Amino acid sequence: MELPFAESYKIKMVEAIRKSTREEREKWLKEAYYNLFNLRSEYVYIDLLTDSGTGAMSDKQWSAMMLGDESYAGASSYLIMKDTIKKLFGFNDFLPTHQGRAAENVLFSVLVKEGDIVPGNTHFDTTKGHIEFRKATAVDCTIEDSFHPTKYHPFKGNFDLEKLENVLKSNPIEKIPVIIVTITCNSSGGQPVSMQNLKDVYSLAQKYGTKVFFDSARFAENAYFIKMREDGYQNKTIKEIVKEMYQYADGMTMSSKKDAIVNMGGFIGFRDRKLYEEASVYNIMFEGFVTYGGMSGRDMNALSQGLMESTEFEYLDTRIRQIAYLGERLKKFGIPLLEPFGGHGIFIDAKRFLPNIPKEEFIAQTLAVEIYLESGVRAVEIGTLLADRDPVTRENRYPAMELVRLAIPRRVYTNSHMDYVAAAIENVFERRDKITKGLKILQEAPIMRHFTVELDRA
Ligand SMILES: *Cc1c(COP(=O)(O)O)cnc(C)c1O
């Protein structure tokens, strides 16, 4: 018999989680104003809100923490991180930051000015937030296929090169300080960008005279998909693929809470020394001195070790197969999903799941609320709440897709948990015809409203 697939790790420490009753969840939801970010984590049985900062560190990461050097300046932990970044990505200079959006804040303080244009492949919400906060415009250049939930494309995060070239051609180049390539593309479902596309975007940037930065939160998952799907990479290691990917970037911003498998941290990598020096001023103002930037020595150690582990094939294979396992289970029940499955979670197509809810009543959020009510599983809306209002007209922006994301934390849940999640969603699917009312907003913040919005049943 062929031996089945099994995880590439065993468990050394466990954390209890608690089930609840439907009556309890009903009450907690009301108290949370139907915003799942407002729930206490103890009210959640399986937490698929995010894969950000929720991973399980390895024994080697915990050991590395004990060796953290907490010196204010020039700590060995900083130098280990510098070496690791150089080895994996090829960048000589880096700045530590407390998380990914802090890296964006520091970098964009140097690069992005009022009236600028920043092309990208569906910018992540914090990235877009930092661009729009500076009164600049984020222009989406993702391929059209990316917006068709069931259309197969191996690299749905790819740039439409024609769209990108049009933006570069039709604007003064000094208004386009940087192109942001998000790998994998979070907002469009954890979809990868191919090596060829990375290469092509970089040559366009060079041709027109601008820079490319990779928004790198899930760079290792992107490399895994290149290995599995792109010709010529099957026999390369993940680390070799990562090294090649970053030849097509002038720098990177990193949320280490994803593919560095730590609970907090981030950094910016630079090819250009001068840009590093300019950014250092902001890092010192916003984050901390250049050799710690908002991180403790122990955290930098765990981060460096995490980067080495996330770029191992066995780790990635376990992770991405678990996501596909959940996806296949749901697909078998006929639940409408975004396909192919992404690298960090499964995305449910809420418009097809709940055809009776009008878009003004927040389709995806309604579904996320129903899933929680059914099971205590917490997912997250990637739809109209997240898309926010147009900064000029203040009208709701209705995105092409209304998605509910089941983000899978790294090395945290077993496939039995995945079975529970699948059954819960199937139960909601069976009673979908009875779900005819959505939600309405009571109160919202002027920017990134999804975190704090207060809702009620419509
Ligand atoms: C999470 C994330 C960020 C922001 O990082 P934080 O660590 O949450 O501040 C930026 N870009 C992408 C693609 C992300 O996934």
Side-chain angles (χ1 to χ4, degrees), residues 119 163-173 176 179 201 204-205 208 210:
K163 254 193 238 176
L164 176 63
E165 184 153 22
N166 267 336
V167 176
L168 295 173
K169 215 162 34 188
S170 53
N171 292 283
I173 198 64
I176 307 178
I179 301 169
V201 168
L204 277 179
Y208 286 90
T210 185

mmCIF file of all heavy atoms in Angstrom, residues 119 163-173 176 179 201 204-205 208 210:
data_model
loop_
_atom_site.group_PDB
_atom_site.id
_atom_site.type_symbol
_atom_site.label_atom_id
_atom_site.label_comp_id
_atom_site.label_asym_id
_atom_site.label_seq_id
_atom_site.Cartn_x
_atom_site.Cartn_y
_atom_site.Cartn_z
ATOM 1 N N PRO A 119 0.903 51.411 -8.668
ATOM 2 C CA PRO A 119 0.288 50.219 -9.261
ATOM 3 C C PRO A 119 0.610 48.975 -8.437
ATOM 4 O O PRO A 119 1.644 48.909 -7.776
ATOM 5 C CB PRO A 119 0.944 50.112 -10.653
ATOM 6 C CG PRO A 119 1.816 51.315 -10.812
ATOM 7 C CD PRO A 119 2.046 51.898 -9.460
ATOM 8 N N LYS A 163 -2.054 46.277 -18.765
ATOM 9 C CA LYS A 163 -2.632 47.263 -17.844
ATOM 10 C C LYS A 163 -1.516 48.042 -17.150
ATOM 11 O O LYS A 163 -1.566 49.271 -17.058
ATOM 12 C CB LYS A 163 -3.448 46.528 -16.762
ATOM 13 C CG LYS A 163 -4.967 46.634 -16.916
ATOM 14 C CD LYS A 163 -5.664 46.150 -15.647
ATOM 15 C CE LYS A 163 -6.624 45.014 -15.904
ATOM 16 N NZ LYS A 163 -7.250 44.438 -14.696
ATOM 17 N N LEU A 164 -0.518 47.303 -16.664
ATOM 18 C CA LEU A 164 0.576 47.948 -15.936
ATOM 19 C C LEU A 164 1.328 48.913 -16.848
ATOM 20 O O LEU A 164 1.613 50.053 -16.466
ATOM 21 C CB LEU A 164 1.533 46.884 -15.377
ATOM 22 C CG LEU A 164 2.781 47.424 -14.684
ATOM 23 C CD1 LEU A 164 2.423 48.254 -13.454
ATOM 24 C CD2 LEU A 164 3.725 46.284 -14.274
ATOM 25 N N GLU A 165 1.619 48.455 -18.065
ATOM 26 C CA GLU A 165 2.383 49.318 -18.973
ATOM 27 C C GLU A 165 1.585 50.576 -19.318
ATOM 28 O O GLU A 165 2.163 51.662 -19.424
ATOM 29 C CB GLU A 165 2.809 48.564 -20.243
ATOM 30 C CG GLU A 165 3.689 49.442 -21.140
ATOM 31 C CD GLU A 165 4.660 48.675 -22.027
ATOM 32 O OE1 GLU A 165 4.411 47.473 -22.284
ATOM 33 O OE2 GLU A 165 5.667 49.284 -22.457
ATOM 34 N N ASN A 166 0.275 50.423 -19.457
ATOM 35 C CA ASN A 166 -0.567 51.596 -19.712
ATOM 36 C C ASN A 166 -0.453 52.624 -18.604
ATOM 37 O O ASN A 166 -0.370 53.822 -18.864
ATOM 38 C CB ASN A 166 -2.032 51.174 -19.854
ATOM 39 C CG ASN A 166 -2.386 50.930 -21.300
ATOM 40 O OD1 ASN A 166 -1.742 51.477 -22.202
ATOM 41 N ND2 ASN A 166 -3.396 50.108 -21.526
ATOM 42 N N VAL A 167 -0.471 52.156 -17.357
ATOM 43 C CA VAL A 167 -0.335 53.074 -16.221
ATOM 44 C C VAL A 167 1.030 53.765 -16.266
ATOM 45 O O VAL A 167 1.155 54.976 -16.062
ATOM 46 C CB VAL A 167 -0.519 52.325 -14.882
ATOM 47 C CG1 VAL A 167 -0.271 53.253 -13.705
ATOM 48 C CG2 VAL A 167 -1.907 51.709 -14.791
ATOM 49 N N LEU A 168 2.061 52.987 -16.576
ATOM 50 C CA LEU A 168 3.427 53.536 -16.590
ATOM 51 C C LEU A 168 3.604 54.548 -17.722
ATOM 52 O O LEU A 168 4.330 55.529 -17.592
ATOM 53 C CB LEU A 168 4.447 52.397 -16.741
ATOM 54 C CG LEU A 168 4.532 51.390 -15.596
ATOM 55 C CD1 LEU A 168 5.446 50.235 -15.954
ATOM 56 C CD2 LEU A 168 5.023 52.057 -14.309
ATOM 57 N N LYS A 169 2.928 54.250 -18.844
ATOM 58 C CA LYS A 169 3.077 55.063 -20.051
ATOM 59 C C LYS A 169 2.277 56.362 -19.961
ATOM 60 O O LYS A 169 2.712 57.394 -20.440
ATOM 61 C CB LYS A 169 2.550 54.237 -21.245
ATOM 62 C CG LYS A 169 3.320 54.472 -22.513
ATOM 63 C CD LYS A 169 3.142 53.394 -23.584
ATOM 64 C CE LYS A 169 1.778 52.753 -23.665
ATOM 65 N NZ LYS A 169 1.786 51.598 -24.590
ATOM 66 N N SER A 170 1.099 56.270 -19.327
ATOM 67 C CA SER A 170 0.189 57.417 -19.415
ATOM 68 C C SER A 170 0.300 58.371 -18.229
ATOM 69 O O SER A 170 -0.529 59.257 -18.066
ATOM 70 C CB SER A 170 -1.251 56.918 -19.592
ATOM 71 O OG SER A 170 -1.556 56.003 -18.573
ATOM 72 N N ASN A 171 1.281 58.175 -17.374
ATOM 73 C CA ASN A 171 1.484 59.100 -16.261
ATOM 74 C C ASN A 171 2.952 59.520 -16.217
ATOM 75 O O ASN A 171 3.820 58.747 -16.618
ATOM 76 C CB ASN A 171 1.141 58.417 -14.934
ATOM 77 C CG ASN A 171 -0.337 58.118 -14.816
ATOM 78 O OD1 ASN A 171 -1.138 58.995 -14.556
ATOM 79 N ND2 ASN A 171 -0.702 56.867 -15.044
ATOM 80 N N PRO A 172 3.218 60.735 -15.711
ATOM 81 C CA PRO A 172 4.630 61.109 -15.546
ATOM 82 C C PRO A 172 5.298 60.126 -14.587
ATOM 83 O O PRO A 172 4.750 59.852 -13.511
ATOM 84 C CB PRO A 172 4.569 62.511 -14.938
ATOM 85 C CG PRO A 172 3.135 62.897 -14.854
ATOM 86 C CD PRO A 172 2.277 61.755 -15.246
ATOM 87 N N ILE A 173 6.442 59.587 -14.972
ATOM 88 C CA ILE A 173 7.047 58.489 -14.199
ATOM 89 C C ILE A 173 7.427 58.941 -12.786
ATOM 90 O O ILE A 173 7.420 58.145 -11.842
ATOM 91 C CB ILE A 173 8.237 57.839 -14.955
ATOM 92 C CG1 ILE A 173 8.545 56.466 -14.368
ATOM 93 C CG2 ILE A 173 9.458 58.738 -14.971
ATOM 94 C CD1 ILE A 173 7.442 55.434 -14.515
ATOM 95 N N ILE A 176 5.069 57.925 -10.214
ATOM 96 C CA ILE A 176 4.931 56.497 -9.899
ATOM 97 C C ILE A 176 6.205 56.045 -9.178
ATOM 98 O O ILE A 176 7.131 55.538 -9.786
ATOM 99 C CB ILE A 176 4.689 55.665 -11.176
ATOM 100 C CG1 ILE A 176 3.495 56.243 -11.953
ATOM 101 C CG2 ILE A 176 4.461 54.191 -10.840
ATOM 102 C CD1 ILE A 176 3.192 55.548 -13.258
ATOM 103 N N ILE A 179 6.189 50.174 -7.734
ATOM 104 C CA ILE A 179 5.158 49.179 -8.044
ATOM 105 C C ILE A 179 5.186 48.180 -6.891
ATOM 106 O O ILE A 179 6.257 47.711 -6.501
ATOM 107 C CB ILE A 179 5.468 48.448 -9.367
ATOM 108 C CG1 ILE A 179 5.551 49.435 -10.536
ATOM 109 C CG2 ILE A 179 4.444 47.348 -9.656
ATOM 110 C CD1 ILE A 179 6.121 48.837 -11.818
ATOM 111 N N VAL A 201 7.368 42.148 -14.732
ATOM 112 C CA VAL A 201 7.032 43.391 -14.022
ATOM 113 C C VAL A 201 8.316 44.178 -13.763
ATOM 114 O O VAL A 201 8.378 45.399 -13.951
ATOM 115 C CB VAL A 201 6.297 43.095 -12.693
ATOM 116 C CG1 VAL A 201 6.212 44.343 -11.818
ATOM 117 C CG2 VAL A 201 4.902 42.531 -12.969
ATOM 118 N N LEU A 204 9.580 45.893 -16.910
ATOM 119 C CA LEU A 204 8.783 47.095 -17.211
ATOM 120 C C LEU A 204 9.200 48.260 -16.297
ATOM 121 O O LEU A 204 9.339 49.401 -16.740
ATOM 122 C CB LEU A 204 7.290 46.816 -17.034
ATOM 123 C CG LEU A 204 6.564 46.152 -18.211
ATOM 124 C CD1 LEU A 204 5.103 45.919 -17.858
ATOM 125 C CD2 LEU A 204 6.685 46.998 -19.476
ATOM 126 N N ALA A 205 9.387 47.942 -15.027
ATOM 127 C CA ALA A 205 9.794 48.981 -14.070
ATOM 128 C C ALA A 205 11.134 49.592 -14.492
ATOM 129 O O ALA A 205 11.323 50.808 -14.446
ATOM 130 C CB ALA A 205 9.896 48.397 -12.669
ATOM 131 N N TYR A 208 10.783 51.861 -17.622
ATOM 132 C CA TYR A 208 10.187 53.182 -17.416
ATOM 133 C C TYR A 208 10.860 53.965 -16.294
ATOM 134 O O TYR A 208 10.559 55.133 -16.089
ATOM 135 C CB TYR A 208 8.684 53.046 -17.160
ATOM 136 C CG TYR A 208 7.933 52.708 -18.424
ATOM 137 C CD1 TYR A 208 7.716 51.379 -18.792
ATOM 138 C CD2 TYR A 208 7.484 53.705 -19.283
ATOM 139 C CE1 TYR A 208 7.060 51.059 -19.967
ATOM 140 C CE2 TYR A 208 6.832 53.397 -20.467
ATOM 141 C CZ TYR A 208 6.626 52.073 -20.805
ATOM 142 O OH TYR A 208 5.981 51.774 -21.975
ATOM 143 N N THR A 210 11.158 53.073 -12.717
ATOM 144 C CA THR A 210 10.636 53.099 -11.347
ATOM 145 C C THR A 210 11.101 51.855 -10.598
ATOM 146 O O THR A 210 11.872 51.059 -11.119
ATOM 147 C CB THR A 210 9.097 53.246 -11.327
ATOM 148 O OG1 THR A 210 8.657 53.388 -9.981
ATOM 149 C CG2 THR A 210 8.405 52.058 -11.978
#
